[in-house]
Amino acid sequence: MNVRTPKNDTPRSAAIASGVSLLVMAAAAAYSYGFVHDRLIVPDDSAATAANLGTFSALFRTGILGWLLIIVCDVIAAWGLYRFFESVNRSLSLLSGWMRLAYTAILGIAVAFLALALLSAEHMTPNDALAAESIWLSLRVFDFVWSVGLVIFGLHLWITGMLIFQAPTAPRWVGVLLQAAALSYLGVHLYKIAVPEMSLWFSTLKAVLSVPMALGELSLAFWLLLKGGRAAPQPSSIPSDSANAELKASESAS
């Protein structure tokens, strides 16, 4: 009986763990940032935002739980991607893994400011302008710290794209999409850090660049789940019918 050892299963197991984590993370981010954050945070209106957080604190708590799920998935993805690409280029894979962990740590710091904003909103008195400004400041700090982390995340994606190019069985188009996503993350968040006042054209550009950001990570996730770590088909050692016929003919002639 042919029993596969745990060592042989490691690339496939790492690919599945990474792919599942990336997809769960994408869903959690769509909920926590795309739904909860966009619904409760009113741009340039600290009073309305503070009132929303106080009124819908339970919803905001679920958003924070979503961020915590993202942090856990990021740790799993960092481990899985390192183990998967370790045999391709151990040094680059290790660097990429540490960069993702560094981003995850920075995200954890950013989420702490969301928790601070929530607690402040739950305990503020009505029409407390000072408390509303304090809540708004916590949300601004979250956004700034997260942008710093996403610059590091962009570098992680760029290195992962390089690993894709070096992997003999990986499709190059996944590497291209990853590096396009990396450049998008770097461009958007370096600009946000350097120029805090967002213009209308930049908001449009950010919306456009969100497409390659999503495509890069999702293409990696689906490829890891469907193809990553699968052993390449080996040629059969059993002679085919035509080969057997040729062999018998040659024996008869001799």
Side-chain angles (χ1 to χ4, degrees), residues 7-56:
K7 183 176 180 181
N8 290 334
D9 283 338
T10 295
R12 183 61 186 150
S13 301
I16 292 173
S18 301
V20 170
S21 297
L22 292 172
L23 291 181
V24 171
M25 198 183 315
Y31 175 77
S32 294
Y33 191 74
F35 176 70
V36 175
H37 199 86
D38 284 355
R39 181 172 180 176
L40 299 182
I41 309 304
V42 182
D44 302 322
D45 194 334
S46 59
T49 298
N52 283 346
L53 266 58
T55 304
F56 303 103

Side-chain angles (χ1 to χ4, degrees), residues 44-235:
D44 302 322
D45 194 334
S46 59
T49 298
N52 283 346
L53 266 58
T55 304
F56 303 103
S57 60
L59 178 62
F60 197 67
R61 283 178 183 272
T62 63
I64 292 176
L65 289 175
W67 286 112
L68 295 178
L69 177 60
I70 291 170
I71 289 171
V72 172
C73 289
D74 263 317
V75 173
I76 296 172
W79 168 84
L81 291 172
Y82 163 69
R83 292 305 303 270
F84 183 76
F85 289 110
E86 183 181 13
S87 60
V88 176
N89 187 321
R90 188 175 185 276
S91 298
L92 274 184
S93 182
L94 190 60
L95 177 60
S96 176
W98 277 116
M99 280 190 166
R100 188 158 197 138
L101 288 178
Y103 156 72
T104 305
I106 294 172
L107 176 60
I109 295 170
V111 172
F113 286 95
L114 292 181
L116 179 61
L118 172 65
L119 293 175
S120 300
E122 289 179 334
H123 293 89
M124 71 176 287
T125 57
N127 302 319
D128 188 341
L130 185 60
E133 287 300 323
S134 176
I135 292 167
W136 187 253
L137 178 61
S138 295
L139 295 172
R140 290 285 301 273
V141 172
F142 160 78
D143 202 46
F144 178 82
V145 173
W146 189 30
S147 284
V148 172
L150 286 171
V151 170
I152 298 174
F153 182 73
L155 295 174
H156 155 76
L157 289 183
W158 183 266
I159 295 172
T160 306
M162 293 173 61
L163 289 166
I164 287 285
F165 291 142
Q166 293 182 19
T169 60
R172 293 183 64 85
W173 60 267
V174 174
V176 171
L177 288 176
L178 275 177
Q179 295 201 327
L183 292 175
S184 299
Y185 273 108
L186 290 170
V188 166
H189 293 284
L190 285 173
Y191 186 94
K192 283 182 69 175
I193 293 168
V195 186
E197 298 301 326
M198 297 291 101
S199 60
L200 180 60
W201 74 266
F202 180 76
S203 298
T204 304
L205 179 64
K206 180 183 175 183
V208 171
L209 291 180
S210 66
V211 175
M213 290 180 194
L215 283 178
E217 294 180 83
L218 289 176
S219 66
L220 176 63
F222 282 114
W223 174 73
L224 286 169
L225 281 175
L226 298 175
K227 298 290 186 179
R230 292 186 184 275
Q234 299 296 323

